[in-house]
């Protein structure tokens, strides 16, 4: 296998990865970005992005990611299609972190910025998967606006579902919240907010059997898992808020993570438990998960990498 030695490797190509690349390339770290299997990240599955500062008329998600890529390339970032399949980090400041790409190429990098993001969990129904982009969304803050004054439903009983149901209730005429157990997992404060909204209807013991509609969402078929009663409701938007999975499987056993697999970073920095290895974006943030916050931590990771290289004399 050929080995390539570089200063900075960035794994992942969402807003965090590309922003890290813009800063790292301007600092002359000559970064290499490996895009991962979903070049551009989660935003490429969104249509309009209306909440990223600097785009007064909104921007198409894939277009925004392409522009971020071009901005990174303008300063010399080497963007490559490929996936990190194995990592072997080192604690030696003289050593190199070893990353295998596509099981066939080895990179030795002095610094590594991990921006592999997180993936929204879906129920896994065929009808749900078919209608992603046609009324099924995993991000109320991104897509809620398209359902202004319309009736929508949201599935999930955690803090995200409760927060997003409350968010949607400000925009939509009615929100049906479907919780599979007879209680919510969300904090009491969040539950209180949901209960205080007149236009949120809570349905406990409720599971989605099918999302109805050919090309766009028209309704839901719901089953009550206590009574087995089946019901159909009319909606135009269906939001899935059953959690996210950080893309950290290949780092397990090396990087410190919380119990759900999010990478832990030191204080306000992007430092992981390995010197020279930094984490930015959704892979280390389960709370905010916005493009703009991911971009902000991408910038921090590049600055942290630059400072680290300076301290070890590179
Ligand atoms: P959680 O894992 O906390 O909750 C997931 C919810 O989805 C649970 O109610 C779960 O049900 C339900 N669920 C899972 N799979 C299915 C399924 N197949 N069908 C139906 N329902 C399903 O994820 P969250 O994204 O809500 O939160 C993640 C973390 O982020 C938590 O620690 C949370 O506290 C935190 N957070 C904090 C916020 C804040 O403080 N402002 C805002 C948002 C998140 P069940 O309970 O039955 O397992």
């Amino acid at each position: 296998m050929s080995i390539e030695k570089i200063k900075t490797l960035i794994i992942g190509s969402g807003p965090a990865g590309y922003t890290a690349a813009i800063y790292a390339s301007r600092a002359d770290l000559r970064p290499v970005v490996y895009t991962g299997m979903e070049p551009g990240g989660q935003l490429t599955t969104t249509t309009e992005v209306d909440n990223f500062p600097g785009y007064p008329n909104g921007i198409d998600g894939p277009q925004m990611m392409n522009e971020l890529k071009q901005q990174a390339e303008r300063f010399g970032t080497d963007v490559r299609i490929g996936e990190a399949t194995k990592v072997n980090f080192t604690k030696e400041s003289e050593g190199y972190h070893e990353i295998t790409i596509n099981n066939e190429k080895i990179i030795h990098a002095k610094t590594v910025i991990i921006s592999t993001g997180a993936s929204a969990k879906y129920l896994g129904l065929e009808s749900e998967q078919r209608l992603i982009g046609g009324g099924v969304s995993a991000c109320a803050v991104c897509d809620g606006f398209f359902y202004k004054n319309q009736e929508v439903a949201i599935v999930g009983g955690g803090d995200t579902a409760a927060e997003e149901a409350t968010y949607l209730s400000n925009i939509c005429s009615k929100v049906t919240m479907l919780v599979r157990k007879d209680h919510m997992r969300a904090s009491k404060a969040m539950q209180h907010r949901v209960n205080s909204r007149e236009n949120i209807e809570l349905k406990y013991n409720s599971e989605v059997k099918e999302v109805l509609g050919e090309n766009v969402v028209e309704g839901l078929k719901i089953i009550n898992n206590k009574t087995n009663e089946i019901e159909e409701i009319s909606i135009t938007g269906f939001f899935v808020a059953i959690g996210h999975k950080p893309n950290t499987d290949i780092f397990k056993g090396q990087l410190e993570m919380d119990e759900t697999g999010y990478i832990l970073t030191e204080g306000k920095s992007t430092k992981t438990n390995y010197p020279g290895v930094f984490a930015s974006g959704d892979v280390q943030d389960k709370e905010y998960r916005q493009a703009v916050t991911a971009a902000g931590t991408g910038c921090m990771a590049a600055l942290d990498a630059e400072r680290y290289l300076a301290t070890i004399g590179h």
Side-chain angles (χ1 to χ4, degrees):
M1 278 198 214
S2 62
I3 294 180
E4 182 182 359
K5 279 189 161 49
I6 61 171
K7 273 192 185 173
T8 301
L9 174 68
I10 299 170
I11 312 175
S13 57
Y18 280 140
T19 305
I22 293 166
Y23 275 77
S25 50
R26 285 171 58 83
D28 213 18
L29 306 185
R30 296 185 296 282
V32 172
V33 171
Y34 273 97
T35 59
M37 295 318 279
E38 188 180 49
Q42 288 185 80
L43 278 189
T44 57
T45 63
T46 314
T47 44
E48 195 82 354
V49 180
D50 276 330
N51 54 9
F52 200 90
Y55 293 102
N57 301 314
I59 183 165
D60 184 60
Q63 189 191 341
M64 179 177 145
M65 294 321 299
N66 200 31
E67 289 182 2
L68 275 176
K69 173 174 177 270
Q70 287 174 19
Q71 194 175 350
E73 286 176 332
R74 184 175 142 219
F75 302 108
T77 301
D78 183 351
V79 179
R80 304 176 187 171
I81 306 280
E83 192 182 23
T85 45
K86 193 176 167 209
V87 294
N88 194 1
F89 297 133
T90 177
K91 295 218 164 164
E92 305 290 324
S93 67
E94 290 306 305
Y96 280 90
H97 304 294
E98 182 172 286
I99 296 89
T100 310
I101 306 293
N102 296 337
N103 294 313
E104 60 183 26
K105 179 182 170 64
I106 289 183
I107 302 260
H108 278 184
K110 275 284 166 198
T111 54
V112 179
I113 296 175
I114 298 169
S115 312
T116 47
S119 307
K121 290 189 201 160
Y122 285 90
L123 298 172
L125 301 168
E126 182 278 325
S127 53
E128 167 207 55
Q129 294 299 303
R130 180 166 43 82
L131 289 165
I132 290 175
V136 172
S137 166
C139 179
V141 179
C142 318
D143 299 326
F145 186 74
F146 301 120
Y147 305 95
K148 202 171 162 103
N149 298 327
Q150 299 175 36
E151 298 195 5
V152 300
I154 184 163
V155 60
D159 281 332
T160 301
E163 192 170 74
E164 297 203 338
T166 311
Y167 178 86
L168 290 168
S169 72
N170 292 327
I171 302 167
C172 305
S173 54
K174 183 180 174 189
V175 181
T176 303
M177 185 169 177
L178 306 166
V179 180
R180 66 179 172 185
K181 291 193 178 137
D182 62 0
H183 61 275
M184 270 195 245
R185 190 194 292 198
S187 63
K188 286 279 172 275
M190 290 285 196
Q191 292 191 37
H192 179 68
R193 274 201 234 167
V194 167
N195 289 323
S196 68
R197 295 299 167 107
E198 280 184 359
N199 62 342
I200 299 181
E201 183 183 352
L202 261 163
K203 284 184 186 290
Y204 288 104
N205 294 112
S206 294
E207 292 178 33
V208 178
K209 271 193 82 102
E210 191 183 343
V211 186
L212 305 172
E214 259 319 299
N215 302 312
V216 290
V217 171
E218 291 168 6
L220 286 184
K221 189 184 274 186
I222 303 163
I223 184 165
N224 182 305
N225 57 25
K226 272 218 160 132
T227 61
N228 285 333
E229 210 173 294
I230 290 189
E231 181 193 3
E232 286 188 7
I233 62 167
S234 284
I235 48 155
T236 50
F238 176 51
F239 292 88
V240 184
I242 59 171
H244 283 74
K245 183 184 180 304
N247 301 318
T248 53
D249 286 352
I250 62 163
F251 311 114
K252 286 200 170 119
Q254 294 187 62
L255 296 186
E256 282 174 7
M257 298 174 190
D258 73 6
E259 65 291 347
T260 47
Y262 285 87
I263 295 174
L264 295 175
T265 51
E266 200 181 286
K268 282 186 181 170
S269 78
T270 62
K271 294 175 190 169
T272 69
N273 56 314
Y274 276 82
V277 180
F278 308 93
S280 62
D282 287 10
V283 77
Q284 52 84 56
D285 170 24
K286 65 181 169 194
E287 205 171 320
Y288 299 104
R289 293 198 299 253
Q290 300 301 300
V292 65
T293 51
T297 57
C299 157
M300 289 162 62
L303 295 177
D304 285 342
E306 188 189 349
R307 284 173 195 154
Y308 170 78
L309 286 167
T311 60
I312 62 166
H314 276 265

